[in-house]
């Protein structure tokens, strides 16, 4: 177990292993996102209350769910870095921040677009909306902290503390509709008990949700690989990799 754990902590091994996963993650995420969106937008009947405006659920819900999942992944990476001083965990944490910020922004934007026909306004200081906005600022804070330090180790430690403390916001986002008065309806998808969303709407939603998680995994690996190359650029294996790619490029040009 510990051997496997330390192997995952090797930037070189992670770079080589993740490269084999990227094509499969990209293909599956594209298939699920495109198929689920087409299914939900074109084939699912309109909602009896919201009409066709409900269809934004196939973008809003996956973006919101994965934004929260991405933050928890970042918090776990931060904890691993603080406890075991694993530098790959710091790279993963840095890689996730812009992806999570983009997903959170997409969730806020689509929520506003959905809220206008449903609630009659683009924005309200609702408990869930406000806590998601805080999540967006947390992502931006992590990105800003990375830029504020010249020393990468000091930046990683500061960011790790921030993301771990900020993780308290995730259960607040999830349970806010239960704890306080909210314009949001309670969760429609339940893992314990019966979901309140109709199966004809649920199936394409699960497809887009799965696709968004796979897209996040693909983007996280891609950004982490770029960070590995940047930090390990002076190591022998990266220089050999770059020389090998350059040689293959020259061969193709000569042909």
């Amino acid at each position: 177990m510990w051997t496997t754990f330390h192997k995952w902590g090797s930037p070189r091994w992670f770079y080589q292993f993740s490269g084999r996963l990227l094509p499969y993650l990209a293909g599956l995420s594209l298939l699920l996102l495109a198929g689920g969106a087409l299914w939900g937008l074109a084939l699912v009947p309109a909602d009896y209350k919201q009409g066709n405006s409900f269809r934004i659920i196939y973008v809003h819900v996956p973006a919101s769910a994965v934004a929260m999942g991405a933050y928890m992944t970042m918090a776990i990476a931060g904890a691993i870095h603080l406890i075991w001083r694993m530098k790959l965990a710091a790279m993963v944490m840095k890689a996730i921040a812009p992806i999570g910020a983009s997903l959170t922004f997409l969730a806020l934007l689509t929520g506003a677009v959905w809220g206008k026909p449903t609630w009659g306004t683009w924005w309200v200081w609702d408990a869930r909306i406000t806590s998601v906005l805080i999540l967006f600022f947390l992502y931006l804070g992590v990105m800003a902290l990375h830029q504020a330090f010249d020393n990468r180790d000091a930046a990683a430690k500061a960011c790790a503390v921030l993301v771990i403390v900020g993780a308290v916001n995730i259960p607040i986002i999830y349970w806010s509709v239960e704890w306080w008065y909210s314009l949001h309806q309670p969760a429609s998808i339940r893992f314990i008990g019966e979901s309140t969303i109709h199966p004809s709407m649920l199936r394409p939603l699960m497809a887009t949700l799965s696709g968004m998680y796979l897209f996040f995994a693909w983007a996280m690996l891609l950004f982490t690989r770029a960070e590995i190359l940047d930090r390990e650029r002076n190591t022998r294996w990266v220089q050999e990799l770059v020389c090998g790619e350059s040689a293959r490029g020259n061969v193709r040009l000569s042909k």
Side-chain angles (χ1 to χ4, degrees):
M1 176 181 174
W2 284 107
T3 302
T4 304
F5 183 73
H6 284 289
K7 183 186 287 187
W8 272 96
S10 166
R12 181 178 182 178
W13 184 89
F14 181 89
Y15 185 90
Q16 294 170 342
F17 176 77
S18 62
R20 296 194 291 269
L21 294 179
L22 287 176
Y24 300 102
L25 290 173
L28 280 173
S29 64
L30 181 62
L31 180 65
L32 287 167
L33 285 171
L38 181 63
W39 188 357
L41 294 174
L43 302 177
V44 173
D47 183 72
Y48 78 102
K49 282 187 176 180
Q50 300 183 42
N52 286 316
S53 65
F54 95 96
R55 297 185 193 278
I56 204 168
I57 193 176
Y58 298 110
V59 179
H60 176 71
V61 171
S64 303
V66 180
M68 291 190 290
Y71 192 91
M72 291 308 299
T73 305
M74 190 168 65
I76 292 169
I80 291 173
H81 176 69
L82 282 181
I83 296 170
W84 288 287
R85 298 293 189 268
M86 190 177 289
K87 60 181 180 181
L88 180 61
M91 298 180 199
V92 170
M93 183 172 55
K94 183 179 179 181
I96 290 175
I99 306 168
S102 301
L103 290 171
T104 309
F105 178 77
L106 180 61
L108 289 168
L109 178 63
T110 53
V113 173
W114 194 5
K116 181 60 176 176
T118 305
W119 303 330
T121 181
W122 297 98
W123 183 271
V124 291
W125 290 102
D126 172 272
R128 172 161 287 182
I129 296 174
T130 304
S131 52
V132 172
L133 181 62
I134 292 171
L135 178 65
F136 180 62
F137 288 145
L138 284 168
Y139 276 124
L140 295 182
V142 173
M143 296 166 64
L145 265 182
H146 273 294
Q147 299 299 322
F149 288 85
D150 293 328
N151 185 288
R152 283 176 169 171
D153 291 335
K157 290 177 183 177
C159 290
V161 172
L162 174 62
V163 297
I164 291 170
V165 172
V168 72
N169 188 48
I170 300 301
I172 292 175
I173 294 173
Y174 186 81
W175 293 106
S176 59
V177 292
E178 306 287 348
W179 292 343
W180 298 289
Y181 171 77
S182 173
L183 291 175
H184 277 86
Q185 64 185 41
S188 300
I189 303 174
R190 300 183 183 274
F191 297 101
I192 300 175
E194 187 177 355
S195 297
T196 57
I197 185 171
H198 193 273
S200 66
M201 299 176 179
L202 177 61
R203 286 188 284 268
L205 179 58
M206 294 305 295
T208 54
L209 186 60
S210 301
M212 190 67 81
Y213 272 112
L214 290 174
F215 169 79
F216 164 70
W218 173 81
M220 179 184 67
L221 293 182
L222 199 65
F223 279 47
T224 304
R225 284 163 59 85
E227 186 67 18
I228 288 172
L229 291 179
D230 180 49
R231 295 197 185 198
E232 302 284 300
R233 61 183 178 274
N234 295 323
T235 60
R236 182 177 178 181
W237 73 270
V238 172
Q239 292 174 357
E240 290 175 351
L241 179 68
V242 172
C243 290
E245 291 294 333
S246 177
R248 282 193 289 271
N250 290 334
V251 169
R252 286 194 294 268
L253 287 173
S254 64
K255 289 181 178 179

